[in-house]
Amino acid sequence: MSSQITVNARTVTIEAEPDTPLLWVLREQLGLTGTKYGCGVAACGACTVHLDGMAVRSCTLPVEGVGASQITTIEGLVSPEAKAVQAAWIELDVAQCGYCQTGQIMSAVVLLQDNPAPTDTEIDEAMNGNICRCATYQRIRQAIHAAAGTLKG
Ligand code: FES
Ligand code: FES
């Protein structure tokens, strides 16, 4: 079935059954492979994208549920929060294997949009649904504080 969705500020026509998870449309039809598959049941956060600025799990979001919403993937991040987060991730060398890191960054950007100066507890709560098998949680927390500092100026 043919439909249109808007991804990274571009409206594209896709061919997918209505119940196809957004993740597979992004990866297989649009070539946006920065978004990862981890669990498929909204339990790990690897597939996190933004839907109208909110962090959502694309592995369980049927593409028919997207409608006219704006989808942003890691490839389309341009906000000041996103730039600060990505710079902090590099500076603090956060990634280990890297597999979970797209999801971590997508969630961190939304956190900083909502809360420009989060405490450790607020970071832990906001990032709770993003699992890292390499246990990079300490560096993730430090990088979010660093990004918050950059944004504060
Ligand atoms: S792959 Fe979507 S939450 Fe794990
Ligand atoms: S960096 Fe390896 S799973 Fe998070």
Side-chain angles (χ1 to χ4, degrees):
M1 182 183 154
S2 181
S3 59
Q4 289 196 319
I5 58 174
T6 304
V7 182
N8 298 336
R10 214 163 51 94
T11 301
V12 290
T13 301
I14 57 161
E15 289 290 335
E17 293 306 311
D19 61 352
T20 304
L22 174 63
L23 173 63
W24 301 118
V25 173
L26 294 173
R27 289 183 56 86
E28 296 184 351
Q29 289 202 32
L30 304 180
L32 297 169
T33 54
T35 307
K36 304 300 185 199
Y37 171 80
C39 65
V41 292
C44 77
C47 66
T48 305
V49 298
H50 298 170
L51 191 74
D52 288 338
M54 289 173 46
V56 297
R57 307 296 189 235
S58 64
C59 69
T60 52
L61 178 64
V63 73
E64 69 179 341
V66 170
S69 297
Q70 299 281 332
I71 301 156
T72 305
T73 68
I74 189 93
E75 292 89 350
L77 283 180
V78 291
S79 69
E81 290 84 1
K83 287 186 192 309
V85 165
Q86 288 176 311
W89 245 246
I90 293 167
E91 176 70 25
L92 289 163
D93 212 4
V94 171
Q96 192 161 317
C97 83
Y99 199 82
C100 73
Q101 296 294 330
T102 292
Q104 306 285 0
I105 287 171
M106 298 307 279
S107 292
V109 169
V110 171
L111 166 61
L112 288 175
Q113 282 167 358
D114 294 345
N115 180 354
T119 63
D120 281 349
T121 304
E122 288 167 339
I123 291 171
D124 290 348
E125 282 171 4
M127 303 297 291
N128 190 32
N130 287 85
I131 308 299
C132 176
R133 277 194 275 183
C134 303
T136 61
Y137 302 112
Q138 291 294 341
R139 291 200 298 278
I140 287 171
R141 201 190 279 162
Q142 288 167 2
I144 290 172
H145 284 305
T150 303
L151 289 164
K152 196 172 163 200

